[in-house]
Amino acid sequence: MLECISEHACFGGVQGFYRHDSAAIGLPMRFSVYQPPQAKHHPVPVLFYLAGLTCTEETFMIKAGAQRFAAQHGIMLVAPDTSPRNTGIAGATDSWDLGEGAGFYLDATQAPWNRHFNMDSYVTQELRRLILDAFPAHADSIGVCGHSMGGHGALVLALRNPDIYRSVSAFAPVAAPAQCPWGQKAFTHYLGSDQTSWQQYDATELMQTRTIPFPHGILIDQGLGDKFLQEQLLPNEFEAACAVAQQPLTLRRHAGYDHSYYFIATFIEDHLAFHQRILGA
């Protein structure tokens, strides 16, 4: 059953926050939806936004300033929480980069995480179906975007499901997680020590096995003042993989910009316009 926590008029549309019992997660999950004014009259394209480490379903909707541009372009915005909550798993709240708030948008295979940490199935299947059933969303016009850990999620889920997502973009994504400390820590705990199992959730590895999966292109924005750029994000590796796969990629590097939502707010209009061109409205 879908529970409405709150709804707010916003740029002619409705910003809502919701909760439901998730079968994929086995616990209640929260998510947010912005319905643009056009959704009052007909189904609209949907952009799923995946937030980063420590974030929730509220972070993007509060900080990015995306609703103004979503209203202009007639795009619905959906932001899930970044992980299960109140899992009861030992150690799940001990680290900011593992466990609650750090689901990494994968389906865990290792105990005890596999009891609840099934964010891949939740986002791509359960939440998507819920949105299509409960909101005026266009089933054939779905895109995905994300930031940091969520940028990793956007790239990976899109590459794993090109039949679901027609467009994909990211802000400062963890682009080669198997090669960086954040990804190595998460993958070891969630997927185990066999690194061959990590490849299915590594965008750079996935791109090396694809050929032009998104012919309309992929958009990535990266701040050059980002303190995580050199050690954690590794966009150059993903860029090289796209070149081999002949995947059109626009990787924009911005001097002075960091990893924060000030960076995201600066360029979110470009991302909404990018998705609108591909998804239509």
Side-chain angles (χ1 to χ4, degrees), residues 91-109:
T93 59
D94 291 351
S95 301
W96 65 276
D97 56 356
L98 180 74
E100 296 185 23
F104 273 83
Y105 303 101
L106 51 75
D107 284 353
T109 59

Side-chain angles (χ1 to χ4, degrees), residues 10-168:
C10 184
F11 292 104
V14 178
Q15 175 62 62
F17 298 90
Y18 308 92
R19 177 169 43 224
H20 72 118
D21 291 328
S22 167
I25 301 298
L27 293 167
M29 288 292 289
R30 295 165 68 121
F31 64 93
S32 58
V33 177
Y34 175 68
Q35 300 179 65
Q38 296 86 341
K40 299 172 185 176
H41 308 292
H42 55 78
V44 296
V46 186
L47 180 63
F48 283 80
Y49 178 88
L50 309 181
L53 291 165
T54 75
C55 294
T56 72
E57 76 286 350
E58 294 183 315
T59 311
F60 173 73
M61 298 301 189
I62 292 173
K63 292 185 174 183
Q67 292 92 337
R68 177 191 298 273
F69 309 114
Q72 292 174 4
H73 292 296
I75 295 177
M76 182 181 297
L77 303 174
V78 178
D81 200 353
T82 53
S83 79
R85 304 284 175 174
N86 301 311
T87 62
I89 295 174
T93 59
D94 291 351
S95 301
W96 65 276
D97 56 356
L98 180 74
E100 296 185 23
F104 273 83
Y105 303 101
L106 51 75
D107 284 353
T109 59
Q110 301 298 300
W113 307 102
N114 58 353
R115 292 208 307 267
H116 299 299
F117 281 73
N118 299 306
M119 290 298 293
D120 177 350
S121 293
Y122 175 69
V123 172
T124 61
Q125 302 301 322
E126 184 177 21
L127 181 60
R128 177 174 60 90
R129 289 194 296 264
L130 189 158
I131 295 299
L132 294 176
D133 289 344
F135 298 89
H138 198 303
D140 297 324
S141 296
I142 298 177
V144 62
C145 175
H147 170 233
S148 193
M149 176 188 72
H152 142 76
L155 295 174
V156 165
L157 297 187
L159 288 170
R160 286 168 58 88
N161 301 278
D163 55 328
I164 292 176
Y165 302 107
R166 288 180 52 198
S167 58
V168 55

